[in-house]
């Protein structure tokens, strides 16, 4: 990927090797504190098609971006309680919001899902790595069908 084509950063979308596909896709959103605390599962879903996966991941990215980087007047927080972040501060909310609007990144993610690759979108601040993933569920084995 070309970092200039994705303003949220080159490392934000990662694809891993193919996995055999069973029935649908498993999607997850989690937060990993960088201090070696346990991984926190924030949301998960089992979906049937790549388009539904994209819609779900986009919705979760927008929701998480609003929680991490609230816009004054658009959420439950009083405007007086919000302060602008320094320009050099990491901004996972902005990164996720930009990914949610990037149609070329969405097409790339769909291609990965259709070829049964594990796909992910990541964003980090100084203390937490946020990851949205989707992967094809493995095909059921003969012994599991009994």
């Amino acid at each position: 990927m070309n970092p200039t084509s994705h303003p949220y950063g080159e490392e934000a979308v990662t694809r891993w090797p193919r996995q055999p596909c069973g029935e649908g896709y498993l999607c997850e959103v989690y937060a990993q504190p960088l201090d070696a605390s346990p991984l926190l599962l924030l949301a998960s879903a089992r979906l049937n098609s790549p388009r539904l996966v994209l819609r779900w991941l986009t919705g979760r990215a927008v929701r998480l971006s609003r929680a991490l980087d609230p816009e004054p007047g658009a959420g439950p927080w009083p405007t007086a309680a919000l302060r602008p972040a320094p320009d050099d501060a990491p901004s996972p909310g902005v990164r996720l919001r930009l990914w949610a609007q990037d149609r070329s990144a969405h097409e790339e993610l769909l291609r990965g899902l259709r070829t049964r690759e594990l796909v992910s979108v990541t964003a980090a601040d100084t203390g937490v790595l946020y990851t949205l993933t989707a992967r094809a569920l493995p095909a059921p084995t003969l012994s599991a069908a009994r």
Side-chain angles (χ1 to χ4, degrees), residues 54-110:
L54 175 61
R55 187 179 306 160
W56 189 87
L57 289 175
T58 302
R60 298 294 80 76
V62 169
R63 185 175 181 166
L64 187 55
S65 73
R66 288 179 183 154
L68 295 172
D69 185 20
E71 295 180 31
W77 306 108
T79 303
L82 302 176
R83 301 281 182 265
D87 289 339
D88 61 344
S91 184
V94 170
R95 183 179 206 149
L96 292 170
R97 191 174 294 114
L98 290 171
W99 177 82
Q101 299 168 359
D102 188 340
R103 300 294 170 226
S104 66
H106 296 174
E107 289 304 318
E108 185 176 335
L109 184 129
L110 288 171

Side-chain angles (χ1 to χ4, degrees), residues 117-139:
E117 295 175 321
L118 173 65
V119 296
S120 72
V121 178
T122 62
D125 61 19
T126 57
V128 180
L129 173 67
Y130 302 95
T131 307
L132 294 82
T133 66
R135 63 182 167 91
L137 292 169

Side-chain angles (χ1 to χ4, degrees), residues 2-3 5 9 13 28 31 49 51 55 57 66 76 78 81 104 121 136 144:
N2 182 348
S5 66
V13 178
E28 298 174 315
S49 75
R51 287 273 174 203
R55 187 179 306 160
L57 289 175
R66 288 179 183 154
S104 66
V121 178

